[in-house]
Structure formats: structure tokens, C-alpha cells
């Protein structure tokens, strides 16, 4: 939980490099933590490295069985055009 708070603070301060590192640590421990995954996708989008987020989606998909609303939301966020 502390990693999520620290990563979210870095994200809100527009320190995307630090946020990316912290979300990476969090997703390495729990790849299907949907809140962290959707924020990681946003961080990678803002860094101009959205393609790097694909591996996190694949890791999360490997841990779920069948259709999952959290995974679907994250996939939709990944595939949506930047606003």
C-alpha cells in the first residue's frame, strides 16, 4: 500500500520516471493490481513509451482466468487514443 501511495504522489507531481519505477515494483509483486496497472499505463503514455506497458498487461492476463473486468478496463485504457 505504501508503494501505491508513493507512486501515486510521484505521478501527481509529474515525476513520471519515479512513478514508473515504483509502479514497476508494485506490479512485480502483484501483476493483477488493477489500480496500479491503469496508472502505469497512463505513466507510460505520458512518457511516450506506451508500448512498454504491453508487457504489464500480458503479465496481468497470465494471472487471471477468463474475462476479468479489471483487465478489460486496463486493456481499453491501453488501446484508447490519448486525450
Amino acid at each position: 500500500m505504501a508503494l501505491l501511495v508513493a507512486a501515486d504522489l510521484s505521478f501527481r507531481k509529474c515525476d513520471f520516471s519515479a512513478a514508473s519505477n515504483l509502479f514497476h515494483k508494485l506490479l512485480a509483486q502483484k501483476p493483477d493490481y488493477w489500480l496500479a496497472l491503469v496508472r502505469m499505463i497512463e505513466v507510460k503514455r505520458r512518457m511516450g513509451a506506451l508500448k512498454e506497458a504491453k508487457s504489464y498487461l500480458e503479465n496481468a492476463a497470465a494471472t487471471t482466468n477468463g474475462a476479468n473486468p479489471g483487465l478489460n478496463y486496463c486493456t481499453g485504457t491501453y488501446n484508447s487514443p490519448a486525450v
Side-chain angles (χ1 to χ4, degrees):
M1 187 63 157
L3 274 176
L4 180 63
V5 172
D8 195 43
L9 285 173
S10 295
F11 176 76
R12 292 178 190 274
K13 290 196 286 187
C14 296
D15 186 0
F16 300 126
S17 178
S20 178
N21 289 335
L22 291 167
F23 281 125
H24 171 75
K25 288 179 185 177
L26 186 59
L27 290 168
Q29 294 172 7
K30 190 168 184 214
D32 61 346
Y33 195 175
W34 307 121
L35 179 60
L37 182 56
V38 76
R39 292 280 169 83
M40 175 63 104
I41 292 167
E42 285 298 321
V43 166
K44 292 298 184 181
R45 181 183 313 261
R46 292 180 186 198
M47 291 176 70
L50 183 60
K51 291 183 180 183
E52 293 176 12
K54 185 70 172 174
S55 63
Y56 295 100
L57 278 171
E58 291 168 353
N59 289 343
T63 63
T64 61
N65 296 327
N68 183 293
L71 179 62
N72 292 341
Y73 181 80
C74 292
T75 303
T77 301
Y78 176 82
N79 289 320
S80 68
V83 180

